Short mmCIF file of all heavy atoms in Angstrom, two decimals:
data_model
loop_
_atom_site.label_atom_id
_atom_site.label_comp_id
_atom_site.label_asym_id
_atom_site.label_seq_id
_atom_site.Cartn_x
_atom_site.Cartn_y
_atom_site.Cartn_z
N HIS B 26 -97.70 178.31 106.22
CA HIS B 26 -96.50 179.15 106.33
C HIS B 26 -96.23 179.75 104.96
O HIS B 26 -95.95 179.03 104.01
CB HIS B 26 -95.30 178.33 106.79
CG HIS B 26 -95.34 177.99 108.25
ND1 HIS B 26 -95.87 176.83 108.74
CD2 HIS B 26 -94.93 178.70 109.34
CE1 HIS B 26 -95.78 176.82 110.06
NE2 HIS B 26 -95.22 177.95 110.46
N GLN B 105 -86.91 179.94 118.12
CA GLN B 105 -87.42 180.63 116.94
C GLN B 105 -88.08 181.90 117.44
O GLN B 105 -88.85 181.85 118.40
CB GLN B 105 -88.45 179.73 116.25
CG GLN B 105 -89.15 180.37 115.05
CD GLN B 105 -90.41 179.62 114.64
OE1 GLN B 105 -91.14 179.11 115.48
NE2 GLN B 105 -90.66 179.54 113.35
N HIS B 137 -99.32 185.54 112.11
CA HIS B 137 -98.19 186.11 112.83
C HIS B 137 -96.90 186.00 112.04
O HIS B 137 -96.79 185.20 111.11
CB HIS B 137 -98.06 185.49 114.23
CG HIS B 137 -97.67 184.04 114.23
ND1 HIS B 137 -98.54 183.04 114.60
CD2 HIS B 137 -96.51 183.43 113.93
CE1 HIS B 137 -97.93 181.87 114.52
NE2 HIS B 137 -96.68 182.08 114.12
N GLU B 139 -92.82 185.24 111.86
CA GLU B 139 -91.82 184.43 112.56
C GLU B 139 -90.66 184.14 111.63
O GLU B 139 -90.72 184.40 110.43
CB GLU B 139 -92.44 183.13 113.08
CG GLU B 139 -92.95 182.21 111.97
CD GLU B 139 -93.64 180.95 112.53
OE1 GLU B 139 -94.12 180.98 113.67
OE2 GLU B 139 -93.67 179.95 111.80
N GLU B 167 -97.26 182.99 109.39
CA GLU B 167 -98.03 181.79 109.68
C GLU B 167 -99.49 182.20 109.76
O GLU B 167 -99.87 183.02 110.59
CB GLU B 167 -97.58 181.10 110.98
CG GLU B 167 -98.41 179.85 111.24
CD GLU B 167 -97.93 178.99 112.41
OE1 GLU B 167 -96.73 178.99 112.71
OE2 GLU B 167 -98.79 178.33 113.03
ZN1 LIG D 2 -94.86 178.49 112.46
#
Side-chain angles (χ1 to χ4, degrees):
Chain B
H26 285 93
Q105 176 196 37
H137 67 250
E139 64 183 24
E167 180 172 331

